[in-house]
Amino acid sequence: MGMVGARGGGAGSWVPGERWRRSLFLALASVSFLLSLILLFLSAPRLRLPSLVPSSSAASAVRRGPDAPPCLAYLLTGRRGDGRRLLRLLLAVYHPRNRYVLHLSADAPDDERLSLATGIAAAAPAMGAFGNVAIVGTPTAGTPVGASGLAGTLRAAAVLLRLHPDWDWFLTLNAADYPLVTQDDLIHVLSSVPRDLNFIDHTSDIGSKEYGSPWVILNRQFIEYCVLGWENLPRILLMYFNNVVLPQEGYFHSVICNSLDFRNFTVNNDLRFMVRDDPSQAEPPFLDWEHYGQMVDSGAPFARPFRENDRLLDKIDGKVLKRWSHGPVPGACTADESMKPYRIVGTM
C-alpha cells in the first residue's frame, strides 16, 4: 500500500495524504465485502423439499456440459402472501435441466415457506427426484427500495454458484411475472446464442424504460465477477448502490457497462413484455385480456405484471404452455417414465 506525504514539523515524520486514506478505505471495504460474500457463499441456507430425496439416476439422465443445451438458473421472488403465486410460476418455468432458488421475503411467516415446499412436493414429484429446487430458509426483506432487494439477489446468486456448478444464465422473476414460451422452446433458442451474452437494459436509448429495468438475464461468468469480485469495481459500485433508492435498476447495469471484460457482451433488452401507457408511472399497469395478442406476438419469453389467478394466466397455460390441471408444463425431461408429465428424450 502506497503512502504520499511531506515532512512536517521538527519531528520529521511522514503525514498520510489523501491518496493513502482513500486506499486504506477501499482496502478495508474490499476485505469486509469479500469476507461477507465468502460467508454467504459457504452458508447457503435453504429448505429441502419434504419427503423427497434426489435421485442419482434421474440427475444423471440430464446431459450437461458445453456441448449440451444450456442450463438456466432462476431466482423466483415474492413477498408475504405470494406463496401460491410462486408455486404457479415455478410450475410454469420448471425444467429438470434448470436450477431454481425461491425467495419469500422476511415478512412472510415460516409456515408460508413450509407450505410452499409442501405444495411443490405434491404438485411435481419430479422436482424432488432431480433435486434442483431450493427455498431460502433465512430470507432478506422483500421491498425493492433500499439495499435489501439487491442483497437478496446477490445472495441467491451465491447460493446457486455454490449448489450447482453447471448453469449458464441467471434469470430473475417475481410473483407478478409469467412465461410466454415453454422452457423446452427457450432452451432450444438459447442453444444457438453465445453463452457469454447478457440481456439487460443498459443504456438510456430504451424509450419508456430509460430509468432501467431490474429484470436481468446474466451469464455465469458475469455473476461470478459480481459475487466473487476479483476486481474492485463490483465492490465499489455496490457500496454506492447500497445508498440508492432502487439499486437493482442500476447496479448490474453500471458494473457491466464499466467492465472491460463484459461491456461488449450485452444485449440491450431484458426480454420482458410490459405495457407503459404513461412513461411517468413507477410501475407498468397490469396486463389485461386485450393485451394477449400483442403479448404473444412480441417474441418475449416473459411478461409482467399479472394479477394473481387472472384468467389471462389460464389462457396462457392452455394455449401457449399446454399446461393442464395443476402440474408443470409438459416437456422433454426425464429418464423415468413414471414421472409424468415428462417423457424420455435421450439427448437431454
Side-chain angles (χ1 to χ4, degrees), residues 64 70-72 74 93 95-100 132 183 187:
R64 303 191 183 280
C71 172
L72 310 180
Y74 280 90
V93 298
H95 194 288
R97 170 168 295 283
N98 296 338
R99 309 300 189 181
Y100 302 87
N132 60 345
Q183 291 301 290
I187 290 171

Side-chain angles (χ1 to χ4, degrees), residues 47 53 63 72 106 109 122 178 187 301 322 330 348:
L47 296 178
V53 178
R63 184 168 61 89
L72 310 180
Y178 214 66
I187 290 171
K322 309 302 182 185
M348 291 304 294

Side-chain angles (χ1 to χ4, degrees), residues 115-267:
S115 177
L116 175 59
T118 303
I120 294 171
M127 296 185 188
F130 284 95
N132 60 345
V133 179
I135 302 174
V136 175
T138 51
T140 57
T143 173
V145 178
S148 60
L150 178 58
T153 300
L154 290 171
R155 184 186 191 201
V159 169
L160 285 162
L161 287 173
R162 179 186 175 226
L163 294 180
H164 305 293
D166 53 10
W167 51 268
D168 298 288
W169 277 287
F170 174 71
L171 294 80
T172 57
L173 299 174
N174 81 357
D177 296 327
Y178 214 66
L180 300 177
V181 297
T182 67
Q183 291 301 290
D184 277 346
D185 288 341
L186 181 57
I187 290 171
H188 175 72
V189 170
L190 290 176
S191 295
S192 61
V193 173
R195 300 189 188 185
D196 53 4
L197 291 181
N198 299 278
F199 300 87
I200 184 170
D201 285 341
H202 63 283
T203 75
S204 60
D205 187 22
I206 51 179
S208 62
K209 292 189 287 184
E210 63 179 327
Y211 297 108
S213 166
W215 315 112
V216 295
I217 300 178
L218 305 172
N219 71 47
R220 182 186 178 93
Q221 292 74 25
F222 180 66
I223 290 295
E224 289 175 339
Y225 176 69
C226 291
V227 171
L228 303 179
W230 54 83
E231 292 180 346
N232 278 332
L233 177 63
R235 295 188 287 271
I236 293 171
L237 288 175
L238 183 62
M239 288 187 289
Y240 169 77
F241 277 97
N242 277 339
N243 299 300
V244 172
V245 176
L246 297 171
Q248 294 201 83
E249 293 187 1
Y251 173 70
F252 292 115
H253 316 62
S254 298
V255 174
I256 206 167
C257 289
N258 288 280
S259 169
L260 295 178
D261 293 331
F262 296 101
R263 65 186 182 187
N264 293 324
F265 297 92
T266 60
V267 177

Side-chain angles (χ1 to χ4, degrees), residues 27-96:
L28 292 175
S30 298
V31 170
S32 175
F33 177 79
L34 184 60
L35 287 175
S36 64
L37 277 182
I38 290 174
L39 291 174
L40 176 65
F41 188 75
L42 294 176
S43 60
R46 56 175 176 152
L47 296 178
R48 294 185 181 276
L49 300 186
S51 304
L52 291 173
V53 178
S55 167
S56 58
S57 61
S60 63
V62 180
R63 184 168 61 89
R64 303 191 183 280
D67 298 326
C71 172
L72 310 180
Y74 280 90
L75 168 62
L76 310 182
T77 61
R79 295 179 290 182
R80 182 187 183 97
D82 280 339
R84 292 183 179 179
R85 300 179 75 184
L86 277 189
L87 174 57
R88 180 170 187 166
L89 177 59
L90 174 64
L91 294 172
V93 298
Y94 182 75
H95 194 288

